Amino acid sequence: MKKPLYVKLAVISTLLGAGCFPEEDSCNIKTDGIYVEYEVVRSADTVSARATFWTGERAGGTYLTLGTCGDEVTVNGVRLSETGTNPKYYHSTVPVAGSYDFVFSRADEAPYESTTGTPLPVSITAPQSQTSFSRTDVLDIAWQDNAEGEIEVLIEGECIHDYPTVGGKEIADNGAHQVPPGAIKPWTEREDETCEARVTLRRVRAGSLDSDLKGRIYGASLDEVSFDSRP
């Protein structure tokens, strides 16, 4: 089965985070040599917008910082600011809206306009925050509001392997998922430890990228709950 966009992005982000990438000034690169990654993530009533720029045909390799030649990126009129280390990216919180318009502006060029929305918000109702569960017991995950299709689930913590796999996995978006006994596995040297774990549910929708840009754009809604994972 072909992996969905958001699973691919999660894996790519994990790999990128472990690397060290060369940097280039965007003023030295023509638009047709730029690859963009746009994302909007909603959690409760907070919306985070992010843009990352690369050279070439895909993410990875050399990333771009927006130079002083007039290059900038906004979302719904809010200018995104440089942050991060390697790769650097552009980020800001923005007001909740029905859609989110990324505008990449360059001197002497028409603005490049891309749009995405966010899916129905996700609200985890079980497990409850800061509760404790043995890895030998069933763990029930429940959420509202449900939608057709699939949702990504990820459980991660310092003393456990990612469940159900690295970067998460899609499951039916039907409001309930049961983690079998023993399915959350500790690292071998930490089998007797209790550590904080986090359940993340994420629903994703692809957006519409300007036809003159290369890259990808998506909106996501997510919710997270922390609990203690014990032997």
Side-chain angles (χ1 to χ4, degrees):
M1 178 183 294
K2 186 178 180 180
K3 287 186 177 180
L5 172 65
Y6 56 94
V7 172
K8 292 179 181 177
L9 290 175
V11 173
I12 289 171
S13 295
T14 299
L15 295 174
L16 295 184
C20 185
F21 304 96
E23 175 185 329
E24 180 60 85
D25 189 312
S26 68
C27 299
N28 299 328
I29 306 297
K30 294 182 178 180
T31 303
D32 61 6
I34 294 176
Y35 185 93
V36 301
E37 292 182 295
Y38 292 150
E39 67 174 18
V40 173
V41 178
R42 178 174 179 176
S43 178
D45 293 325
T46 299
V47 177
S48 174
R50 174 169 168 161
T52 309
F53 298 88
W54 303 88
T55 62
E57 302 294 322
R58 61 185 62 84
T62 300
Y63 68 89
L64 296 177
T65 55
L66 300 184
T68 58
C69 54
D71 289 354
E72 70 172 31
V73 59
T74 63
V75 174
N76 289 5
V78 177
R79 185 173 180 174
L80 306 190
S81 300
E82 182 182 299
T83 188
T85 53
N86 188 285
K88 293 177 183 175
Y89 56 91
Y90 292 80
H91 171 269
S92 182
T93 56
V94 296
V96 175
S99 63
Y100 301 91
D101 301 320
F102 285 82
V103 179
F104 179 35
S105 301
R106 313 199 81 188
D108 302 321
E109 298 182 28
Y112 299 93
E113 301 179 358
S114 307
T115 302
T116 190
T118 53
L120 196 65
V122 183
S123 178
I124 297 174
T125 57
Q128 295 294 311
S129 180
Q130 303 304 317
T131 47
S132 176
F133 295 91
S134 169
R135 294 186 282 272
T136 62
D137 293 336
V138 170
L139 175 62
D140 289 310
I141 303 172
W143 65 94
Q144 302 170 342
D145 294 296
N146 308 330
E148 294 182 356
E150 295 173 319
I151 193 169
E152 182 191 84
V153 61
L154 171 64
I155 300 176
E156 55 188 341
E158 289 188 357
C159 68
I160 60 174
H161 293 271
D162 285 3
Y163 169 89
T165 187
V166 175
K169 184 179 180 181
E170 59 185 359
I171 58 173
D173 196 355
N174 58 11
H177 177 73
Q178 191 171 82
V179 181
I184 298 176
K185 299 186 181 300
W187 293 102
T188 302
E189 67 276 12
R190 305 185 70 172
E191 292 178 344
D192 297 328
E193 291 188 26
T194 294
C195 64
E196 185 177 75
R198 182 172 65 249
V199 178
T200 301
L201 291 175
R202 191 168 77 146
R203 188 179 286 136
V204 177
R205 174 194 296 169
S208 176
L209 188 69
D210 189 293
S211 60
D212 290 323
L213 293 179
K214 298 191 301 289
R216 56 190 163 211
I217 180 172
Y218 71 96
S221 295
L222 64 82
D223 194 18
E224 298 177 330
V225 168
S226 295
F227 67 95
D228 285 335
S229 176
R230 54 183 171 79

